[in-house]
């Protein structure tokens, strides 16, 4: 007799997983949005990246800079989950947790960390520092130096990878010993004796065992937890880190981060099957910014760029580096919206554009004498494109207090409408200031 299996997705109106994905080079104000949407969800999930992320949440008079802890942690009755797709630096995570607790934020039963998450060790920080400056073509990636790339490299390489669950085992010190021996051998030619001395087996094993003991109460199998949660119809919000143009496979390689930061990474990072994800909200800053190296066709290394930087306070949340600023690039956003399976857009920091007499939007690229709306796969080509701009009139009014879309200046409405046309997705949310009430829905 044939057994009949029930498809848990039958009657899939119960399935409710939404994802917030940055569509540029990061810092699109995902943190604000996740915090805002978290109220309508039961679970908020961080599923890729690590402490390279800096997500700002303004809540009343308080400003929080979240790095590893999901931005839903500030909302009561929301369970926050860090999955195995994230690379964890225990000192950074615990410092962040302690900082939040000291400010009265509850972190207990509402917090879970995957025991599959790969752990960042001192050698990863060292490698990040030594190897990023080594590219030799005059432009380094300009990483956040948080050990992200080296840790993901060891994960894929497998031989020297250590996961959170390993910290709890008796043979952990031997694992550290083996790994330190290999790292010392690999690094001895390129790093100073002082740096090598920081790779001390006994100290690292002891410190990480202590840190692990503090994290253990939160550790568990988040994959099974999220599969159960999805099947039982829990409302889940996935919080993307970085932006789709920094995606390791589909971004501006090699000037990218080491995880799948576009929509394609949601499933592999979280363990939630793709067909269970029913909404992807693409987050777009109303202009463009980039931190670190790599091509940036619409960059304005001039007064306009400086004006955007000043008005938007465009300095890195993690490293405080000044962000490179430029015009909105609809070629890039159309590409990342399609790549990420975006249903609708959230346009953030629209208020920053007030007072600019004219606004440029890049509508196509010119490459080798031809116009294209395709985003090049090779950075060498992206470096050579000439952006083709359409100029729209700006608006003078301060819009930071506007509550309804219909109350926006007509030129701001025209700017949004043009983004919708060029990207091919509706704008569902408009942000006109860092605070949650500076948000226009619909
Ligand atoms: P994330 O990494 O995508 O979460 O973004 P960041 O937090 O790194 O950077 C976004 C910055 O913009 C933060 O300082 C936010 O407080 C701020 N912000 C968010 N939304 C708005 C907005 O609509 N207008 C303005 N002026 N600032 C905003
Ligand atoms: P959020 O989540 C902006 C950039 C770095 C560098 C490149 C690789 O706040 O949007 P990495 O340390 O990841 O190896 O650095 O990626 N980068 C970000 N830029 N926002 C981020 O995160 C970023 N995370 C990494 O500046 O160019
Ligand atoms: Mg950020």
């Amino acid at each position: 007799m044939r057994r009949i299996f029930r498809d848990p997705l039958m009657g899939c109106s119960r399935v409710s997983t939404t994802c917030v994905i940055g569509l540029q080079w990061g810092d699109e104000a995902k943190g604000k949005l996740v915090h805002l949407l978290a109220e309508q969800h039961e679970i908020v999930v961080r599923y890729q990246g690590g402490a390279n992320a800096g997500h700002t949440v303004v809540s009343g008079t308080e400003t929080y800079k979240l790095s590893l802890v999901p931005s839903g942690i500030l909302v009561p009755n929301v369970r926050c989950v860090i999955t195995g797709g994230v690379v964890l630096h225990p000192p950074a995570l615990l410092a962040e947790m302690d900082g939040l607790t000291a400010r009265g934020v509850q972190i207990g039963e509402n917090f879970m960390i995957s025991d599959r998450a790969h752990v960042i060790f001192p050698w990863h920080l060292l490698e990040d520092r030594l190897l990023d400056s080594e590219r030799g073509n005059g432009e380094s990636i300009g990483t956040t130096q948080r050990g992200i790339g080296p840790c993901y490299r060891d994960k894929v390489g497998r031989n020297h990878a250590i996961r959170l669950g390993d910290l709890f085992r008796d043979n952990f010190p031997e694992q550290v010993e083996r790994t330190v021996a290999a790292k010392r051998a690999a690094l001895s030619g390129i790093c100073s004796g002082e740096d090598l001395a920081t790779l001390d087996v006994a100290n690292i094993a002891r410190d990480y065992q202590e840190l692990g003991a503090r994290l253990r109460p939160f550790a568990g199998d988040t994959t099974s937890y999220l599969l159960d949660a999805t099947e039982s119809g829990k409302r889940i919000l996935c919080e993307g880190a970085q932006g789709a143009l920094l995606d390791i496979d589909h971004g501006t390689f090699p000037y990218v981060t080491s995880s799948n930061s576009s929509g394609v990474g949601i499933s592999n990072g979280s363990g939630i099957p793709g067909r269970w994800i029913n909404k992807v909200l693409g987050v777009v800053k109303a202009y463009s910014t980039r931190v670190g190296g790599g091509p940036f066709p619409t960059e304005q290394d001039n007064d306009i760029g400086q004006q955007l930087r000043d008005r938007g306070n465009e300095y890195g949340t993690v490293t405080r580096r000044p962000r490179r600023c430029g015009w909105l690039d609809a070629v890039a956003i159309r590409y990342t919206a399609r790549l990420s399976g975006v249903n609708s857009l959230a346009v953030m920091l629209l208020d920053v554009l007030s007072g600019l007499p004219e606004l440029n939007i890049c509508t196509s690229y010119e490459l080798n004498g031809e116009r294209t709306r395709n985003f090049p796969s090779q950075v060498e080509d992206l470096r050579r494109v000439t952006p083709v701009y359409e100029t729209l009139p700006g608006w003078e009014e301060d819009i930071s207090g506007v509550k309804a879309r219909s109350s926006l200046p007509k030129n701001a409405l025209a700017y949004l409408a043009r983004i919708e046309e060029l990207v091919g997705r509706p704008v569902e949310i408009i942000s006109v200031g860092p605070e949650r009430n500076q948000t226009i829905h619909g």
Side-chain angles (χ1 to χ4, degrees), residues 66-84:
L66 297 156
S67 196
L68 278 158
V69 177
S71 302
I73 199 74
L74 304 165
V75 179
N77 305 319
V78 167
R79 190 130 203 243
C80 285
V81 176
I82 298 179
T83 70

Side-chain angles (χ1 to χ4, degrees), residues 27-32 54-56 58 65 317 323 348-352 431-434:
D27 304 327
E28 299 90 348
K30 300 173 293 292
K32 164 174 170 167
H55 295 179
T56 312
V58 178
K65 307 255 179 216
T317 309
R323 294 176 183 148
M348 315 300 280
L349 293 100
L350 189 66
D351 54 299
V352 172
S431 176
V432 292

Side-chain angles (χ1 to χ4, degrees), residues 113-380:
I113 313 166
S114 173
D115 55 10
R116 290 185 172 92
H118 284 251
V119 175
I120 295 178
F121 283 88
W123 50 85
H124 293 129
L125 302 179
L126 199 55
E127 288 169 336
D128 207 357
R129 177 158 59 80
L130 292 169
L131 301 176
D132 186 31
S133 53
E134 234 212 358
R135 298 191 58 76
N137 67 348
E139 189 171 23
S140 64
I141 296 173
T143 75
T144 57
Q145 312 249 315
R146 297 298 188 270
I148 306 295
C151 185
Y152 276 121
R153 185 170 50 219
D154 280 340
K155 167 179 170 170
V156 177
R158 292 152 296 162
N159 291 335
H160 307 307
I162 300 180
R163 306 197 297 176
L164 184 62
D166 294 326
L167 268 54
F168 314 142
R169 273 187 274 280
D170 293 341
N171 67 350
F172 171 66
E174 288 93 80
Q175 215 178 347
V176 173
E177 192 173 357
R178 265 198 320 276
T179 311
V180 165
K183 294 288 177 184
R184 277 175 168 271
L187 291 172
S188 60
I190 53 168
C191 97
S192 69
E194 199 182 327
D195 280 338
L196 270 188
T198 62
L199 303 185
D200 179 274
V201 174
N203 284 345
I204 294 173
R206 188 200 56 233
D207 289 353
Y208 272 67
Q209 264 173 333
E210 282 171 18
L211 296 163
R214 288 195 58 202
L215 291 175
R216 195 166 187 170
F218 306 100
D221 178 356
T222 62
T223 307
S224 296
Y225 171 73
L226 288 175
L227 289 172
D228 287 344
T230 321
E231 286 174 10
S232 60
K234 288 231 166 32
R235 282 167 287 126
I236 301 175
L237 180 64
C238 295
E239 175 176 2
Q242 290 79 54
L245 294 171
L246 290 171
D247 187 287
I248 181 76
D249 290 306
H250 306 281
T252 53
F253 189 88
Y255 301 96
V256 291
T257 191
S258 299
S259 65
N260 285 115
S261 51
S262 72
V264 304
I266 303 164
S267 281
N268 70 349
S270 67
I272 301 172
R275 70 186 182 113
W276 294 39
I277 293 160
N278 50 359
K279 180 165 178 185
V280 180
L281 188 58
V283 194
V284 173
K285 197 177 277 198
Y287 48 97
S288 303
T289 60
R290 175 164 209 174
V291 199
F296 179 178
T298 63
E299 181 168 19
Q300 298 299 299
D301 193 8
N302 53 29
D303 285 354
I304 296 282
Q306 190 57 44
Q307 213 169 321
L308 292 170
R309 188 174 303 115
D310 291 343
R311 294 184 51 96
N313 190 25
E314 294 294 356
Y315 295 88
T317 309
V318 176
T319 57
R320 297 307 299 160
R321 288 178 289 180
R323 294 176 183 148
R324 300 158 65 192
C325 297
W327 297 119
L328 191 83
D329 185 344
V331 177
I333 297 167
R334 175 174 167 268
Y335 165 63
T336 51
R338 294 168 71 202
L339 169 71
S340 299
V342 162
N343 302 76
S344 58
L345 301 173
V347 175
M348 315 300 280
L349 293 100
L350 189 66
D351 54 299
V352 172
L353 299 182
S354 288
L356 289 171
E358 289 184 330
L359 302 170
N360 284 340
I361 300 183
C362 170
T363 55
S364 60
Y365 293 153
E366 226 167 63
L367 181 63
N368 302 327
E370 291 191 6
R371 284 208 178 174
T372 178
R373 287 186 77 198
N374 291 333
F375 192 76
S377 59
Q378 305 297 310
V379 280
E380 289 72 16

